[in-house]
Amino acid sequence: EAWAWWRSIGCPSRVCAPMVRASELAFRMLVRSHGVELCYTPMLSARAFLAMDLTERERFVEPNAQDRPLIVQFCTNSPDEFLDAAIAAQHLCDAVDLNLGCPVDLGRGYGAILAEQQPDLCVGIVRRAASSTLLKVPVTCKIRIQERGTTPSFAKRLQDAGCSMVCVHCRTRAQGGRGAGDWGE
């Protein structure tokens, strides 16, 4: 099913990774004009998205027919919040992403901290959303290289839980955005 989805969005070979303060519509359209085929929205907590009314949600995603395929990314530590946010966003995107790669400690145990400290919960969040009959778009995940060489097994667990695509940032959480990436992990 994951490959069918990938083919349905044109098998993009040029993907613009989600970046802080550089994933809004204007930037997405700029990179698309240079050949990027798949983009992400800025990361937002699932809880914050659910607290928005419909107009605010659309203002955040900034839907545009020329900006597809598009993945909406959320951070959360709650399977129910992720599923509810994903369902609320699915008409605006081609997939929803559980961001398990953000290295910043937002004080809620999201992102890379969640992946490091509670990998079973991460798998449960993906499984809950991917198995829901109410969610009509795929679930993807962004992760970072895990400590102790566990990246491949963690990615496989996410895949087995229903994740259609795992994107791996080539640095650890401790590295943040600094230092050389590890392309061998």
Side-chain angles (χ1 to χ4, degrees):
E1 193 169 315
W3 282 112
W5 166 71
W6 191 250
R7 284 189 291 276
S8 78
I9 62 169
C11 300
S13 60
R14 292 175 298 276
V15 178
C16 184
M19 297 175 286
V20 175
R21 293 181 299 282
S23 294
E24 288 77 10
L25 178 63
F27 184 77
R28 296 191 313 254
M29 295 306 290
L30 174 68
V31 297
R32 285 182 188 278
S33 75
H34 291 280
V36 166
E37 301 162 309
L38 173 63
C39 291
Y40 290 76
T41 65
M43 181 183 73
L44 182 67
S45 79
R47 181 176 299 152
F49 189 77
L50 291 168
M52 295 175 174
D53 65 30
L54 294 176
T55 302
E56 291 171 316
R57 290 175 183 172
E58 286 199 7
R59 202 173 301 133
F60 171 76
V61 174
E62 301 177 287
N64 182 304
Q66 303 304 310
D67 184 33
R68 298 301 281 269
L70 179 67
I71 298 176
V72 174
Q73 65 167 330
F74 296 113
C75 60
T76 188
N77 55 15
S78 165
D80 291 335
E81 278 182 3
F82 182 72
L83 175 58
D84 291 346
I87 291 168
Q90 67 184 343
H91 71 285
L92 301 169
C93 62
D94 300 283
V96 291
D97 186 76
L98 175 60
N99 186 308
L100 299 171
C102 181
V104 178
D105 182 1
L106 301 173
R108 293 191 175 100
Y110 294 160
I113 291 172
L114 183 68
E116 284 181 4
Q117 296 177 357
Q118 298 186 65
D120 292 341
L121 178 56
C122 299
V123 170
I125 292 169
V126 170
R127 182 172 287 114
R128 171 93 167 95
S131 66
S132 172
T133 58
L134 299 176
L135 185 61
K136 306 301 182 197
V137 296
V139 174
T140 68
C141 292
K142 175 188 167 195
I143 66 173
R144 283 184 174 258
I145 291 178
Q146 305 297 297
E147 299 293 338
R148 302 173 305 280
T150 60
T151 306
S153 63
F154 182 52
K156 177 72 169 118
R157 289 183 66 206
L158 293 169
Q159 178 188 4
D160 290 346
C163 183
S164 293
M165 177 177 72
V166 178
C167 296
V168 182
H169 189 295
C170 63
R171 292 183 184 91
T172 65
R173 180 180 68 84
Q175 284 180 286
R178 298 171 310 277
D182 180 355
W183 295 97
E185 174 67 18

